[in-house]
Amino acid sequence: MEKIMTKEILLTGDRPTGKLHIGHYIGSLKNRVKLQNEGKYEPYIMIADTQALTDNARDPEKIKNSLIQVALDYLAVGLDPEKSTIYVQSQIPALFELTAYYMDLVTVARLERNPTVKTEIKQKNFKDSIPVGFLNYPVSQAADITAFKATVVPVGDDQEPMLEQTREIVRTFNRVYNTDILVEPKGYFPPKGQGRLPGLDGNAKMSKSLGNAIYLSDDAKTVQKKVMSMYTDPNHIHVEDPGQVEGNTVFTYLDVFAPDKDKVAELKEQYQKGGLGDVKIKRYLNKVLEEELGPIRERREKFAQNPDAVYEMLLEGSKKANEVANQTLQEVREAIGLNYFDRLNK
């Protein structure tokens, strides 16, 4: 008898706080498309609008306007609604009920110790004005993951503490309610050195707020202008000067994007000896980026011509996600003992 192979459930997503940039692309989106097309996984891709509201509640238009932009970026890079369920977090009510049940199993002290939360609270400068929803978002994230019984969650290295919090909630729930319905997820991390792309200005992080990003929606002229302004070696003033490769953003990008690694090695050697100008390596990087981003840009422009079709795709994905999450919610309610009226249906 032939053995039926079941696919692993994969879940990931993004906050809709603006268009996605090449840091998102190299850190997660490109890998998602690869995993989607391998056929070993059943991917659920979430646009986490509710999570975005935890620190943008007073600017809902930002979230609303960004939703379609993120969806367009998804489709442009190759995420396929025929292979992946792409849905909107706020349209799945079961997630919020699951969050409420999980909150009772986690202490405030545990949330405050979460390294990822501590770092982001500091970055956002909340001080004593931390929104409850923001502090609680590791619990909400646990609901997002367990609602679909995801076993694989592609994340950056800095998100491992969030996954561990989810695993703790799963273990606590299953132990307290004497069940095994919730599944512990494992992280799927990007290749070493590709988890985070530095900003154009040499800042350790590429981000929308710092204005140091190349967006997937940028046209060719904008990309070229940004590349030509990139941070290199401030001491490399003349072409004949020896240059520093380490910390040089242009070479960091070439290491990630350039397919010809031998040529990059040659350019590094020449740059370090002296005799290679910044303009030349920036022009080469621009060529490399255009080869990668050009087709993405063309697909994005095509999808953008019919926004109603994009919203329809999100609606259909949300309907499917709703069905799956509601099934898990029913199992959770039964495990806790909240199915008081099931006897009336017998």
Side-chain angles (χ1 to χ4, degrees):
M1 187 175 180
E2 187 177 349
K3 185 178 180 181
I4 299 175
M5 299 295 291
T6 57
K7 293 184 178 181
E8 286 197 75
I9 305 296
L10 180 149
L11 183 133
T12 188
D14 298 279
R15 289 160 42 101
T17 54
K19 297 175 181 179
L20 301 181
H21 52 63
I22 60 172
H24 296 118
Y25 175 65
I26 206 67
S28 62
L29 295 175
K30 192 172 184 178
N31 207 32
R32 287 181 207 173
V33 174
K34 172 180 171 288
L35 294 172
Q36 165 195 267
N37 293 337
E38 282 180 359
K40 297 191 298 184
Y41 303 95
E42 184 177 348
Y44 287 84
I45 314 294
M46 178 178 71
I47 301 182
D49 58 333
T50 306
Q51 189 182 116
L53 281 169
T54 61
D55 56 323
N56 291 279
R58 289 164 176 77
D59 189 10
E61 282 299 309
K62 177 182 179 181
I63 311 303
K64 180 180 177 181
N65 295 334
S66 297
L67 183 78
I68 185 71
Q69 300 301 330
V70 172
L72 287 170
D73 288 333
Y74 280 176
L75 295 171
V77 299
L79 287 174
D80 184 349
E82 296 296 322
K83 299 177 181 178
S84 298
T85 303
I86 305 173
Y87 66 98
V88 182
Q89 183 184 30
S90 64
Q91 306 305 302
I92 318 298
L95 299 180
F96 310 103
E97 188 170 343
L98 289 171
T99 299
Y101 297 142
Y102 297 166
M103 284 167 58
D104 297 330
L105 304 175
V106 181
T107 66
V108 172
R110 176 63 183 93
L111 291 173
E112 290 176 335
R113 287 199 311 272
N114 187 303
T116 306
V117 175
K118 287 169 68 176
T119 299
E120 293 186 5
I121 285 173
K122 186 176 180 180
Q123 287 174 345
K124 296 179 186 298
N125 199 29
F126 283 135
K127 296 183 179 177
D128 294 329
S129 301
I130 306 168
V132 173
F134 191 86
L135 182 64
N136 192 56
Y137 90 78
V139 183
S140 171
Q141 201 166 71
D144 298 332
I145 295 168
T146 59
F148 301 95
K149 300 188 178 180
T151 54
V152 178
V153 182
V155 290
D157 293 335
D158 60 334
Q159 292 294 309
E160 174 58 27
M162 305 294 282
L163 279 182
E164 181 54 33
Q165 186 117 50
T166 295
R167 288 190 285 264
E168 287 179 14
I169 289 172
V170 167
R171 290 192 290 265
T172 301
F173 184 93
N174 286 346
R175 184 182 71 253
V176 169
Y177 298 112
N178 192 29
T179 184
D180 60 359
I181 60 172
L182 298 187
V183 179
E184 289 190 42
K186 60 179 181 288
Y188 188 103
F189 302 97
K192 193 171 183 181
Q194 292 189 18
R196 175 164 289 179
L197 208 59
L200 304 176
D201 54 2
N203 191 293
K205 183 179 181 182
M206 177 180 286
S207 75
K208 290 166 272 195
S209 60
L210 294 174
N212 61 357
I214 293 174
Y215 294 93
L216 297 174
S217 55
D218 282 345
D219 60 37
K221 286 186 177 180
T222 300
V223 172
Q224 182 183 37
K225 184 178 179 181
K226 289 182 176 181
V227 169
M228 298 309 290
S229 71
M230 284 176 72
Y231 177 86
T232 55
D233 176 1
N235 297 316
H236 185 251
I237 299 170
H238 304 103
V239 173
E240 61 271 17
D241 293 340
Q244 184 81 13
V245 169
E246 291 77 18
N248 188 320
T249 308
V250 175
F251 281 110
T252 302
Y253 279 42
L254 286 173
D255 283 337
V256 172
F257 287 99
D260 190 343
K261 303 305 180 187
D262 290 338
K263 180 170 183 177
V264 174
E266 290 174 9
L267 289 173
K268 285 182 178 180
E269 185 178 356
Q270 189 179 352
Y271 191 81
Q272 289 171 316
K273 287 180 179 177
L276 179 60
D278 289 339
V279 171
K280 186 172 182 179
I281 60 170
K282 286 179 178 181
R283 283 177 178 163
Y284 177 54
L285 174 60
N286 184 65
K287 178 176 177 290
V288 166
L289 287 178
E290 186 57 27
E291 288 174 355
E292 183 100 22
L293 300 179
I296 293 173
R297 186 186 305 122
E298 289 178 15
R299 288 194 296 269
R300 196 182 195 283
E301 290 171 354
K302 179 182 176 183
F303 286 117
Q305 291 173 8
N306 191 353
D308 285 350
V310 178
Y311 280 110
E312 184 68 30
M313 178 271 293
L314 292 175
L315 176 61
E316 291 305 310
S318 297
K319 286 179 179 177
K320 178 182 175 183
N322 238 332
E323 292 178 7
V324 177
N326 283 338
Q327 176 59 41
T328 300
L329 175 61
Q330 183 60 31
E331 293 174 9
V332 164
R333 289 173 63 87
E334 288 176 1
I336 297 173
L338 304 177
N339 53 335
Y340 308 120
F341 308 116
D342 283 0
R343 65 175 64 220
L344 300 179
N345 297 320
K346 292 181 180 178

